Amino acid sequence: MEALIPVINKLQDVFNTVGADIIQLPQIVVVGTQSSGKSSVLESLVGRDILPRGTGVVTRRPLILQLVHIDAEDRRKTNEENASRKNGRLYKGIDGEEWGKFLHTKNKIYADFEDIRKEIEAETERITGNNKGISDEPIHLKIFSPHVVNLTLVDLPGITKVPVGDQPNDIEIQIRELILKYIANPNSIILAVTAANTDMATSEALKVAREVDPDGRRTLAVVTKLDLMDAGTDAMDVLMGRVIPVKLGIIGVVNRSQLDINQKKLVADSIRDEYAFLQKKYPSLANRNGTKYLARTLNRLLMHHIRDCLPELKTRINVLAAQYQSLLNGYGEPVEDKSATLLQLITKFAAEYCNTIEGTAKYIETAELCGGARICYIFHETFGRTLESVDPLGGLTTIDVLTAIRNATGPRPALFVPEVSFELLVKRQIKRLEEPSLRCVELVHEEMQRIIQHCSNYSTQELLRFPKLHDAIVEVVTSLLRRRLPVTNDMVHNLVSIELAYINTKHPDFADAIGLMNNNIDFLTFFQEQRRNRMKDLPPSVPRDKGAASSLQSASGVEQGDGGTGNWRGMFKKGEEGLPGDRTYPQLLPSVSPQRGHAVNLLDVPVPVSRKLSAREQRDCEVIERLIKSYFLIVRKNIQDSVPKAVMHFLVNHVKDCLQSELVGQLYKTALLNDLLIESEDMAQRRNEASDMLKALQKASQVIAEIRETHMW
């Protein structure tokens, strides 16, 4: 059991070599208010004056103090090493048996404890300056002595309330946060120091300890200045735990007064006086109080605490070792064969790029669609929904349809709906499919650009070692995608142009629309047959031409009168009385009747701007609209099927097939090897740090394994 504390000290040394604080080792954290006697308690445990003294905040940086018990053989060996290093000069304290070492001064040995105190002051001022500010950067000090027990203690700044001098206004918060940082470590034991001449119930040390240790399972209370209590009072109730119970116990000590310190009273003499005071004042509690009992208790508590923490500590070390091994693997080994390394990185990137498109990549996104899955979404969701949202008759009004029909007939009134008007209008609608098709190409191109970054961040982290190679690969792939974009756009444009080039009215899916057209033709045939029958029934005295004209006039809805046969005003008047629900055409402009005796300018004749469509016109427009819609849906289906195929062939698959050869052809050149494989400035440093940390963790794991083999826990 006694060997457990040196093991922790050894682990602390291991992690100190790499400057890491990733493992929370078991230690004793000393907490108390200013002038509560913390420093005196620590010096009593060490047996020497080592800490700075003064008023206000004297301890301004955490001091991690490791007490190492040594025997005669250890002292002789160390003295021999010192003699060989310093030309036979021995660094001796009292008989050369005590010395100290700081982490920041490497192997320098301090045999004079006054030098240790001065070095603490100098190192504190080096970081925090001459003011009373504090820092959380610790000072590591090891004391080797036959008069100490194995302990690891942390001295922290005293709790204060009011800033003094040039201290920052939030000094109380800074100190409190620093204390909580150390005592929140579940592997630490809290040594809460309180002066006996203050009310135990208002102890700031116990208050802050309970915040992180409410059950008190790792808190030990120390009551200082027992000799300074008011006359007629004692600390019997406090020491017995009747005022504030503490699970690990309450131990009283007697410190040196300021006068004793000024007069250079030895700690050993102070401990003797303390024992005499306890025997006189608290005879029944003398053997459970005092500095020596405190040292033995701390040693026992720390050993048991270490024993309980070691299994979890071992697990933590193994987990971190695995993490740093993985991190080191990611940084890679120093490059020896540059040619092979370059080819390997290029090949791996090309494979990961293609695998991301195929959906077989090692690193799969879970937050959003990526690679081939996103391309599929673009094809069947984004592009598909966009095409389906295009209205076959969008942007096409009835006036447009009627105007196209009239323009297609020329000067002659038509008995049938002209096909030219259908082709003209349906091409206009088909042209609207080109823009969403080109946008589909653009979206796929953007996704293939995103795949480059995905592969760089997740799949091929080795590229981060070589920023120039990474930039070169990105440039080559981007250039390849850029070259394929116009080719793919041209193909998609051609797909729409192909549909515009030939309107296939014999398309099998267009049969229903043709049937609608045939129904319209059958109606006109029936109308012509009725006109011929009327002609046969006319009396012989009626001229055929007149009968025909009369018949046509009747059939067309033009009445006699109002100025004679064929009067155009009467025709429009009749047209305005169209069937209920007929469509409207723009209304007439104000009519201007030509004055008698003046020439009539035909261009001044009122143009019909809006009027109701006749039954014939309404029927013709409906036929054309149904034909347009039917044929548009056929073309839209073709475009929805052919555009993704074109994008896959001319862009996606082409890049997949040519990426490897493109990268090799552009980058695998002897002249570029040295330039491309230059590591980033901090990569070598990070690799060394990770390697050192991994070695430290492996060494720590070996240390714990040795304890297990010797059945120490």
Side-chain angles (χ1 to χ4, degrees), residues 550-564:
S550 176
S551 178
L552 286 172
Q553 200 173 51
S554 175
S556 61
V558 179
E559 295 180 350
Q560 300 292 335
D562 294 332

Side-chain angles (χ1 to χ4, degrees), residues 145-318:
S145 172
H147 308 299
V148 299
V149 295
N150 291 311
L151 289 175
T152 300
L153 303 140
V154 181
D155 186 22
L156 296 175
I159 300 172
T160 184
K161 292 292 184 181
V162 180
V164 178
D166 55 357
Q167 288 181 344
N169 293 330
D170 62 341
I171 186 68
E172 177 186 1
I173 299 176
Q174 290 185 27
I175 294 176
R176 180 180 178 82
E177 290 178 349
L178 179 60
I179 292 174
L180 289 174
K181 174 184 175 182
Y182 279 88
I183 65 176
N185 173 14
N187 295 333
S188 66
I189 294 176
I190 304 172
L191 191 64
V193 179
T194 304
N197 55 359
T198 61
D199 190 350
M200 189 73 167
T202 62
S203 171
E204 289 289 339
L206 288 176
K207 178 183 177 182
V208 72
R210 284 188 175 181
E211 292 184 18
V212 296
D213 182 34
D215 298 333
R217 290 182 296 180
R218 52 188 184 91
T219 301
L220 175 66
V222 175
V223 179
T224 62
K225 303 181 181 181
L226 292 176
D227 56 331
L228 299 181
M229 297 188 68
D230 292 341
T233 63
D234 59 34
M236 184 67 70
D237 290 340
V238 172
L239 297 177
M240 294 292 291
R242 296 169 184 164
V243 178
I244 301 292
V246 180
K247 283 189 177 181
L248 295 185
I250 301 175
I251 299 177
V253 296
V254 177
N255 302 332
R256 290 181 298 168
S257 65
Q258 187 61 44
L259 178 62
D260 294 336
I261 296 173
N262 295 338
Q263 294 178 351
K264 305 296 183 180
K265 183 177 181 179
L266 296 178
V267 175
D269 296 339
S270 175
I271 292 176
R272 285 195 295 270
D273 293 343
E274 174 191 54
Y275 179 75
F277 175 83
L278 292 174
Q279 288 289 345
K280 177 181 178 182
K281 192 72 175 179
Y282 303 97
S284 61
L285 302 177
N287 60 342
R288 288 181 291 166
N289 289 277
T291 300
K292 290 187 176 181
Y293 180 78
L294 174 63
R296 292 194 302 270
T297 301
L298 291 176
N299 178 264
R300 174 178 55 81
L301 290 175
L302 187 59
M303 284 191 300
H304 284 86
H305 198 61
I306 292 172
R307 181 193 61 188
D308 297 337
C309 294
L310 273 180
E312 182 181 350
L313 192 63
K314 180 177 183 297
T315 301
R316 172 67 174 162
I317 289 175
N318 291 338

Side-chain angles (χ1 to χ4, degrees), residues 339-385:
S339 179
T341 301
L342 179 60
L343 183 60
Q344 179 184 3
L345 290 174
I346 288 175
T347 303
K348 184 173 182 180
F349 179 88
E352 290 295 336
Y353 189 92
C354 296
N355 290 339
T356 303
I357 295 176
E358 294 295 333
T360 58
K362 181 178 180 181
Y363 297 92
I364 299 177
E365 281 278 4
T366 57
E368 61 178 352
L369 293 178
C370 178
R374 191 174 185 86
I375 293 175
C376 178
Y377 182 86
I378 292 171
F379 285 156
H380 302 291
E381 297 293 334
T382 306
F383 178 58
R385 285 201 304 264

